[in-house]
Amino acid sequence: MNAPTTDHLPVVVIGAGPVGLAAAAHLTERGIQPLVLEAGPSAGTAVRAWAHVRLFSSWAEVVDPAAEKLLAPTGWVRPDPATYPTGGDWAERYLQPLADLLGDRVRYATTVTGVARAGRDRIVDSGRDEQPFNVHITRADGTEERITARAVIDAAGTWSGPGPIGADGLPALGEKAAAERVTYRVPDLRNPAVRARYAGRRTAVVGSGASAFTTLAHFADLAEEEAGTHAVWILRRGITGSTYGGGAADELPARGALGLRAKAAVENGHASAVTGFRTEAVERDSDGRPVLVAEDGRRLDAVDEVIVLTGFRPDLSFLAEVRLGLDERLQAPTALAPLIDPNAHSCGTVYPHGVKELSHPEKGVYLVGMKSYGRAPTFLAMTGYEQVRSIAASIAGDQEAAERVELTLPETGVCGGAGLFDDPDAARSSEGGGCCSAPATLRIGIGAPASSGGC
């Protein structure tokens, strides 16, 4: 007797962001019905939340090929490929037109609350792989529904889970109580109300990635116009040759330039760096201003505001009934984690990878995009597009295409360990060998090499 087929069921894609919509485009190209479930009111809801931030990837690098092919008959033309969109541009000029084209295959205001095998909790083995998935959803009006799917591609991202100030991964003592003076996003200083919050004031900026660089660069501009504006840059590690990224050696020039702008902010006195500072508590001075206290007892002078940019965490709560294979540190798929581990690599680009690296013990479930990186930083849209191309090919049964690479990624020019805890052997600069020299052609399926690096 033949096992029941689920081929007539849709593939549920969670999230109508860049990678989720690219997944829908690749599935459509393969003749597979996608159903995209988006918690927000429009395409690219998370992207719109940072609409004011300019990407360091150009239009040539943030439009998925299958999506562009799908859009072409409508008269859509990709913006100048050499220019750099803001988050708002990306959402309005690409993501929303793509979602509109997909029509009722995209549902908004729909929150996924659970994913499971039909009739099987995570304990049950019998007949598990033959069962379709049940995807539980809640609409904005509170009504609930269960959708049956042949596979689930989770492209929900990590925007809803920002990291805290606390160096141990938990909120610092007093962090929640100081909530009115703490934010976890890059501020939009073009907004008059936001600008007034920071102009002429001292602000602690906690973090060492692209978001922190962006904020430091914006604060340097503000300091040129508003006297007294100053950023106190809090780093948990020391400053090394790789702290500011790849600079002129970065094959994404805008990414390299962003790090150099942050460096200039420090060198020009608009920001002061405090290194090796692992925050344990947020106290208050007599005026109610936050005072950051480190694990080693150091206390900084009071600041007016705190901007926390310490990365993001994936929400895995609604996947509790499926069997995921996740790295114990990064919460990324176990085969992908060694390639992106920031304890070992500081490269901004991971080797292209696909269905093999993204598969789990639960067949038919995939975490893609930012969520596939778990807590690791520096994810590129191009990486996500290659992920979903490979996965769509695998779902369609085209294993040759699933295992083939159709992407060459740029290098950062920065290699070696990230130096997360001031270890001089780990905090290497770009001198010496490293992980960034990705070959032009590389198999990502069976036998793919475990080499490195990431946004």
Side-chain angles (χ1 to χ4, degrees):
M1 180 171 145
N2 294 330
T5 180
T6 61
D7 290 355
H8 64 287
L9 297 174
V11 172
V12 162
V13 179
I14 305 173
V19 178
L21 291 173
H26 283 277
L27 291 167
T28 299
E29 187 176 52
R30 292 275 181 177
I32 300 170
Q33 178 189 0
L35 179 58
V36 183
L37 305 177
E38 167 59 45
S42 60
T45 298
V47 173
R48 293 173 192 272
W50 47 271
H52 58 290
V53 177
R54 190 166 299 280
L55 280 70
F56 52 64
S57 295
S58 68
W59 274 111
E61 297 151 343
V62 298
V63 174
D64 175 76
E68 185 169 14
K69 188 184 299 184
L70 200 62
L71 283 164
T74 70
W76 183 87
V77 177
R78 181 175 60 183
D80 183 350
T83 61
Y84 296 83
T86 63
D89 295 333
W90 202 16
E92 288 295 335
R93 302 176 66 183
Y94 167 60
L95 300 178
Q96 195 61 58
L98 178 56
D100 292 343
L101 177 63
L102 291 167
D104 60 7
R105 287 170 286 183
V106 180
R107 294 190 192 178
Y108 300 114
T110 302
T111 300
V112 174
T113 58
V115 177
R117 288 284 186 181
R120 307 288 193 277
D121 64 22
R122 68 182 295 152
I123 299 175
V124 179
D125 291 332
S126 176
R128 187 174 192 87
D129 289 349
E130 288 72 46
Q131 293 299 108
F133 292 95
N134 282 338
V135 180
H136 289 234
I137 64 171
T138 301
R139 300 189 188 89
D141 62 4
T143 57
E144 298 177 316
E145 183 183 344
R146 183 174 61 207
I147 297 169
T148 307
R150 63 187 287 189
V152 177
I153 299 175
D154 183 357
T158 56
W159 181 254
S160 62
I165 302 175
D168 60 2
L170 300 174
L173 298 178
E175 180 174 344
K176 294 179 181 179
E180 78 280 4
R181 290 180 181 262
V182 180
T183 186
Y184 299 85
R185 312 295 187 202
V186 176
D188 183 0
L189 298 180
R190 301 172 306 175
N191 182 313
V194 175
R195 182 184 179 91
R197 179 174 178 176
Y198 299 102
R201 297 187 174 188
R202 282 170 51 85
T203 300
V205 178
V206 186
S208 59
S211 294
F213 291 170
T214 299
T215 302
L216 292 173
H218 289 177
F219 269 74
D221 293 340
L222 182 62
E224 294 283 354
E225 301 171 6
E226 299 285 350
T229 303
H230 190 78
V232 181
W233 186 23
I234 311 298
L235 297 102
R236 294 172 180 170
R237 53 175 171 161
I239 292 181
T240 71
S242 64
T243 295
Y244 297 102
D250 197 323
E251 289 188 12
L252 289 177
R255 180 170 60 186
L258 184 60
L260 295 177
R261 287 190 66 195
K263 183 178 182 181
V266 174
E267 292 178 344
N268 294 335
H270 300 311
S272 52
V274 180
T275 61
F277 193 96
R278 302 182 185 102
T279 308
E280 181 178 72
V282 180
E283 299 179 354
R284 302 290 195 105
D285 71 358
S286 58
D287 296 322
R289 298 190 304 163
V291 175
L292 302 188
V293 182
E295 293 175 347
D296 60 10
R298 280 184 291 167
R299 299 167 57 88
L300 300 184
D301 291 338
V303 294
D304 298 291
E305 301 285 343
V306 182
I307 300 173
V308 185
L309 304 168
T310 55
F312 296 89
R313 286 105 178 266
D315 177 8
L316 302 169
S317 61
F318 58 85
L319 300 172
E321 293 305 320
V322 293
R323 299 172 177 179
L324 301 180
L326 298 176
D327 179 76
E328 62 185 7
R329 292 168 299 170
L330 300 184
Q331 296 178 297
T334 51
L336 176 61
L339 283 66
I340 61 176
D341 186 353
N343 289 288
H345 309 295
S346 64
C347 292
T349 306
V350 65
Y351 276 77
H353 55 276
V355 67
K356 180 190 175 187
E357 292 81 2
L358 298 170
S359 293
H360 294 274
E362 193 77 71
K363 296 179 181 178
V365 173
Y366 307 96
L367 310 186
V368 300
M370 282 289 295
K371 194 161 187 176
S372 71
Y373 270 40
R375 297 192 182 198
T378 56
F379 181 81
L380 286 171
M382 292 183 290
T383 298
Y385 297 160
E386 177 68 358
Q387 289 178 340
V388 296
R389 183 207 61 78
S390 172
I391 289 168
S394 180
I395 292 173
D398 187 350
Q399 290 307 308
E400 188 279 329
E403 296 172 9
R404 182 178 68 235
V405 156
E406 297 183 4
L407 172 68
T408 300
L409 290 169
E411 302 173 8
T412 62
V414 180
C415 298
L420 297 181
F421 283 92
D422 299 332
D423 179 349
D425 294 325
R428 296 188 299 270
S429 69
S430 57
E431 298 174 0
C435 52
C436 295
S437 52
T441 303
L442 176 71
R443 291 186 67 82
I444 56 176
I446 298 170
S451 300
S452 59
C455 181

